[in-house]
């Protein structure tokens, strides 16, 4: 509940606008302009949509992107990630897969509604450092509980 309250406050609070001497177009990579809950949720089509993206074929085209694991039923951002190869990021070991499974299991066990999905933001920088900086800014902004950067605040999930 604390995570949800924190994220709702972020969503409701308008960022301070810096005044400039020149008319500079807004930066499309501004973390204040990216709301993971406003991005299109991937569902049954294409084949890797929703959490079935874990089984996306390795030969499908991979692109640089930011991705967000969200619970659409609770309007909750659980995890923020970045990759340069969207087709391979979730192959093999990824601790977040275990957190998602535990999260869904607990919701099922206690009869609570959940809808864990993934959203993508494709307009991300192709430069790795710039993309990782944007990812970190979004992790800190949204305080996503499955990202290790926020474990000091929320505790490590399901440990």
């Amino acid at each position: 509940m604390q995570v949800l309250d924190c994220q709702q406050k972020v969503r409701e609070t308008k960022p301070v606008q810096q005044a400039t001497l020149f008319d500079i177009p807004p930066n499309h990579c501004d973390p204040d302009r990216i709301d993971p809950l406003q991005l299109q949720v991937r569902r049954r089509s294409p084949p890797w949509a929703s959490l079935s993206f874990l089984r996306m074929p390795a030969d499908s085209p991979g692109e640089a992107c930011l991705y967000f694991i969200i619970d659409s039923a609770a309007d909750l951002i659980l995890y923020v990630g970045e990759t340069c190869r969207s087709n391979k990021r979730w192959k093999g070991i990824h601790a977040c897969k275990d957190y998602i499974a535990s999260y869904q299991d607990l919701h099922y066990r206690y009869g609570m509604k959940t809808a864990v999905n993934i959203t993508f933001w494709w307009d991300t920088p192709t430069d790795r450092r710039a993309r990782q900086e944007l990812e970190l800014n979004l992790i800190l902004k949204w305080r996503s509980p499955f990202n290790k950067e926020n474990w000091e605040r929320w505790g490590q999930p399901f440990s």
Side-chain angles (χ1 to χ4, degrees), residues 2-151:
Q2 292 176 351
V3 177
L4 182 61
D5 290 343
C6 178
Q7 290 182 3
Q8 285 180 339
K9 285 179 186 169
V10 168
R11 192 166 285 104
E12 293 167 0
T13 304
K14 298 294 178 200
V16 176
Q17 297 296 319
Q18 176 70 38
T20 64
L21 295 174
F22 308 101
D23 263 344
I24 301 173
N27 181 354
H28 78 282
C29 292
D30 180 352
D32 289 328
R33 297 173 55 102
I34 302 169
D35 184 345
L37 296 176
Q38 297 300 314
L39 298 173
Q40 181 180 359
V41 170
R42 298 295 176 170
R43 298 200 188 271
R44 301 190 202 307
S45 177
W48 47 269
S50 187
L51 291 184
S52 62
F53 73 94
L54 299 173
R55 297 179 295 278
M56 182 168 52
D59 62 348
S60 64
E63 299 177 49
C65 69
L66 291 175
Y67 58 92
F68 307 90
I69 305 298
I70 62 171
D71 183 343
S72 300
D75 283 340
L76 187 64
I77 302 156
L78 300 170
Y79 184 82
V80 177
E82 67 82 24
T83 184
C84 65
R85 285 178 259 155
S86 57
N87 61 336
K88 296 183 183 197
R89 178 62 187 106
W90 286 76
K91 303 295 181 201
I93 298 170
H94 195 303
C96 190
K97 289 195 269 187
D98 294 333
Y99 302 147
I100 294 166
S102 296
Y103 180 85
Q104 289 178 310
D105 180 56
L106 282 174
H107 278 75
Y108 177 76
R109 188 178 307 162
Y110 292 101
M112 297 172 67
K113 185 178 177 185
T114 185
V116 177
N117 291 295
I118 188 166
T119 60
F120 294 94
W121 191 70
W122 297 102
D123 202 17
T124 188
T126 54
D127 175 69
R128 181 175 181 244
R129 284 191 179 150
R131 192 174 57 251
Q132 288 176 334
E133 181 181 337
L134 180 58
E135 173 199 30
L136 179 59
N137 286 330
L138 289 163
I139 289 169
L140 297 176
K141 173 184 177 179
W142 294 109
R143 304 284 187 210
S144 43
F146 292 177
N147 288 98
K148 65 182 176 218
E149 293 84 351
N150 294 314
W151 292 354

